[in-house]
Amino acid sequence: MSSTDDKPPPLSIQDINNIITKLRNLLTSDCAEAEIAVATNTAANNPTGNEQDGSNRTGNEQDGTNKQDGDANQAQETNDEKKEPLYELGKLCKELDYMIRSFQELENLKNSLREPFETLEANVNDIVSDLEKDELRKQVHHNLRVFRNNITRVKILILLQLQAASINSDGNRALQTTFATGEAGDLPHLYGEHIFENSYYFKEIEEKYEGLDVRQKLCLLCFSIFPENAEIKKRFLRFWWVGENLIARNGKDEMGDLNDTLTTFVEKRLIEPVLKKNRLQPRSYKVTPIVRSCLIHFAKKEGFFDYDRDGKPIMDFSSCNKACMVKSERATASWFADYLKGNDKDGNERATASWFADYLKGNEQDGNSEKPKEQERHQEQGKLLQGKLSADLVKLQMLFNFPHENTLIRASQQIDKLQTLFNLSKQFPDLPTEWFSKMTGIKVLYLGRWEATAGQARHIEVEDIEFLKGFKNMKNLRLLSLQGISGIPKLPTTLCKLENLRILDLRACHDLEKLPDRIGSLKKLTYLDLSECYLLDYIPQQLNKLSELQVLKGFVILEAKNSCTLDDLSELPSLRKLSVNVNTTKFNIDEAGDALAKFQKLEKLRIAWGWGGMPGKEDSTLDSSSEQQQSKTKKKQASSISSAAAKASTDKVNKGEDKGNRERSAVAAAGEANSKTAKLGGGLRRTANIALMAKKWRRLSMKEREPQNLEGLERLVKLDLQCFPRSEPPTWLVPRKMKKLTNLSIRGGRLGYLNHEDGQKWNADTLRLKFLVNFKTNWKEMQQRFPNLKYLENLRCPRITFCPCDANGVWQKFVQSK
């Protein structure tokens, strides 16, 4: 028998618990017996009488008494020496009791973590099984993310178990996650827990937070208002931080400052980048549940936002200058419900005597205030004292659902100090016109959609745009976002009075049809997003007056009279990024090169052809005219020959002419038909020649009209063409004119090739080709023409052959080098 067989089996937690319990019982019984023995000895050694009659004793008696006292003291010392081990044993019993409780808690922890660990084991098995199957390897990345999330949840459960007396029975629900549904419950609640705030995890994150400067702290606290595991777009963070004036200060580069801040947070592991398929750089970020709980604590402490006891942001801005519009999950405030029911008709005296009287006392204790403001307060309070809320206050209460009457009054008095209003989950963000016009101190107004979800987007709608006229008083507004809001067909002219506006986000405003004519008045505007505004049919020419505009997305090329054109946009001196949607067939991509060559700082360009911009039958008719004419000629030739033969066989038969005459007639008819066919064939050739000559003339004319100043084209770093309508590329899309182009993307359309003049090579290192049915090339040619290529994406391009792409259609040079 081997030595390993003689080794006893390991003890379980229950076995250890039983052993410690036996030791504790043994020590307890020994301590009890020892205490009884010590008490007996102490009673025997003590004198029987306690009378203090030493004054009546003789000298000998006094000496005897002193001797007895000495013996008693010696016995007491002996008893103390015997009791000292008992005290030690008592301490050991207490420590054993603590060990018993600790091991009992470990046993509870083991039982509570049984299912979570089974989930982790299932995760590992799924990952291993998917690695063995080539067709399921793309699922491995998803499984790894789920596995990492489950490990984080287990760590949180262990943290709570080791420091709490008992475990929350609902804590395991977070681990009930399946790969089929991808649904996960909420993690255990950490915010506000004293145990968590004293933990190592909290102290570590707090130390990292304190190591940031003031600007970085404010940027980080912005993550605290979002739901758990929410993905926050980098673009949205840029909007918010610019609106709060947290980045691009003192003339710094906006994107550089943004990237540096996010990189700092990632390196400190305060946020996590969300890396998605076929993306070289992250476009979204999120925070772990532990970090989010810490950020809520910091934000609450700094007065950044106000939160409820569960750590969710609330709409109450009475204690801070920022507020979130959230979907109300609680019932209408009881006091307001009673008011709506008419229960407060006779309660004027009660209202005056209770909460409003306290409110007045609070104001008196705060010292003297300005008389005009005090008079306004009394006027608002008088409205309540009359037993009827004003219409303005009713609207404000219905929107924010304040829990108390005094909170409503306090918020109504300081709405002019509100600096940030953010729509977190509200579906109908209509603001009362009276209160909207009072937001004179607002800097960030984000009423639209912020989510980065790939599923169904949250529907946001306004019933009336009358409240938007309050823009005229918002002189400090820097960020305005109406993204994804339906029901806005046009914007009021008061929008043009926002003299400090930096960012205007109108993305996915599907009902928007027109922009204000005086939009050129927004002299400080740097970012304008009109993407997915499909009904937009007019863009004013004053758009070229935005001298500081750097990014313009969703610009539409239309046939509307006096609408802004590419030539008009070329006058923008600061424009770096442009996104164009073509909705007219009159747009000529070759002629657009003249306008593009005039841009001064344009670096990124995207041109997409919509349904209105696809050519009708002009090019297709020109290219296929010869085929159609040839088919018509064949039909005419066949009909001519058949008619001639019929005429030869029947003509003059009834007149009794001889065979020779019939043969001569047949030959003559056939000759006549052949002569007609020859004429038609000549017409066919002439038509085909005309088509070819027209195509060559068009190329030559475009070549002669090439822009002499190529600086605008040479500055392009990124070019994206979508649904390109021709098989021939633009005449200006050649390596000679695109010297700085590093990123080329062509998605959809009819393009069949790229031009290469005199063997010149492209400098692009990133190439994306998607859904190009006619595009023809191979891997060898691609390497020759793109020698600096590092990233290739080839998706559903059947005529691009021999490319070493993976299952996702991606090839990366650094992966191959490994």
Side-chain angles (χ1 to χ4, degrees), residues 21 129 258 262 320 440 633 738 740:
T21 303
S129 61
L258 172 68
L262 292 174
C320 58
T440 55
T633 302
M738 299 287 179
K740 294 185 179 180

Side-chain angles (χ1 to χ4, degrees), residues 92-116:
L92 291 176
C93 288
K94 293 180 179 179
E95 292 181 2
L96 291 175
D97 288 336
Y98 173 77
M99 292 176 63
I100 291 173
R101 291 194 302 270
S102 299
F103 277 103
Q104 186 61 44
E105 292 176 2
L106 288 177
E107 183 70 21
N108 296 336
L109 176 62
K110 184 186 73 172
N111 295 332
S112 63
L113 294 179
R114 181 177 291 108
E115 293 183 5

Side-chain angles (χ1 to χ4, degrees), residues 221-227 240 292 304-305 307 313 324 422 424:
L221 292 181
C222 293
F223 289 89
S224 63
I225 68 170
F226 299 103
W240 193 353
R292 176 178 174 270
F304 190 72
F305 272 95
Y307 303 83
C324 285
F422 182 78
L424 191 62

Side-chain angles (χ1 to χ4, degrees), residues 24-274:
R24 194 273 311 271
N25 294 336
L26 181 60
L27 287 177
T28 303
S29 60
D30 291 343
C31 288
E33 294 177 359
E35 288 178 356
I36 294 175
V38 171
T40 303
N41 293 333
T42 302
N45 293 328
N46 285 336
T48 57
N50 294 328
E51 296 85 356
Q52 302 296 326
D53 54 354
S55 58
N56 300 328
R57 295 174 184 174
T58 62
N60 293 333
E61 291 176 349
Q62 186 68 31
D63 294 338
T65 302
N66 293 335
K67 185 177 180 180
Q68 291 178 0
D69 292 340
D71 295 339
N73 293 334
Q74 185 177 0
Q76 183 65 33
E77 292 177 359
T78 303
N79 292 334
D80 292 341
E81 292 177 356
K82 292 181 179 180
K83 286 183 177 180
E84 185 175 356
L86 294 178
Y87 295 148
E88 293 297 328
L89 290 175
K91 293 180 180 179
L92 291 176
C93 288
K94 293 180 179 179
E95 292 181 2
L96 291 175
D97 288 336
Y98 173 77
M99 292 176 63
I100 291 173
R101 291 194 302 270
S102 299
F103 277 103
Q104 186 61 44
E105 292 176 2
L106 288 177
E107 183 70 21
N108 296 336
L109 176 62
K110 184 186 73 172
N111 295 332
S112 63
L113 294 179
R114 181 177 291 108
E115 293 183 5
F117 278 122
E118 290 177 356
T119 302
L120 295 179
E121 184 178 0
N123 295 162
V124 175
N125 294 334
D126 290 340
I127 293 173
V128 173
S129 61
D130 291 345
L131 285 174
E132 298 174 354
K133 302 175 183 179
D134 294 337
E135 65 274 8
L136 293 178
R137 287 193 175 184
K138 60 183 179 180
Q139 184 69 15
V140 173
H141 298 287
H142 169 71
N143 291 345
L144 286 174
R145 289 196 299 269
V146 177
F147 184 46
R148 190 181 299 110
N149 293 337
N150 283 343
I151 289 178
T152 303
R153 290 165 179 162
V154 172
K155 289 169 62 178
I156 296 173
L157 288 176
I158 294 175
L159 169 67
L160 295 179
Q161 273 289 346
L162 292 180
Q163 300 192 27
S166 60
I167 190 170
N168 184 5
S169 60
D170 296 333
N172 292 330
R173 244 182 277 170
L175 273 297
Q176 306 298 325
T177 305
T178 61
F179 287 83
T181 61
E183 297 175 354
D186 293 334
L187 290 171
H189 173 60
L190 298 178
Y191 167 72
E193 294 290 342
H194 181 70
I195 296 175
F196 172 70
E197 294 175 1
N198 291 329
S199 65
Y200 165 78
Y201 299 95
F202 182 86
K203 299 298 182 183
E204 180 184 8
I205 297 173
E206 185 179 27
E207 181 179 356
K208 295 179 180 179
Y209 173 77
E210 295 297 336
L212 303 174
D213 57 34
V214 176
R215 182 191 65 83
Q216 292 174 334
K217 287 180 180 178
L218 294 176
C219 290
L220 183 61
L221 292 181
C222 293
F223 289 89
S224 63
I225 68 170
F226 299 103
E228 198 169 90
N229 294 322
E231 296 181 4
I232 299 98
K233 290 184 179 179
K234 181 179 179 179
R235 177 173 57 88
F236 165 76
L237 294 173
R238 174 189 178 184
F239 288 176
W240 193 353
W241 293 351
V242 169
E244 296 277 2
N245 199 20
L246 297 176
I247 60 174
R249 298 187 298 181
N250 301 325
K252 291 185 178 180
D253 178 55
E254 184 176 300
M255 291 303 299
D257 210 357
L258 172 68
N259 292 329
D260 292 342
T261 303
L262 292 174
T263 301
T264 301
F265 294 162
V266 173
E267 290 176 350
K268 291 181 175 291
R269 296 186 179 182
L270 295 171
I271 63 175
E272 293 181 353
V274 180

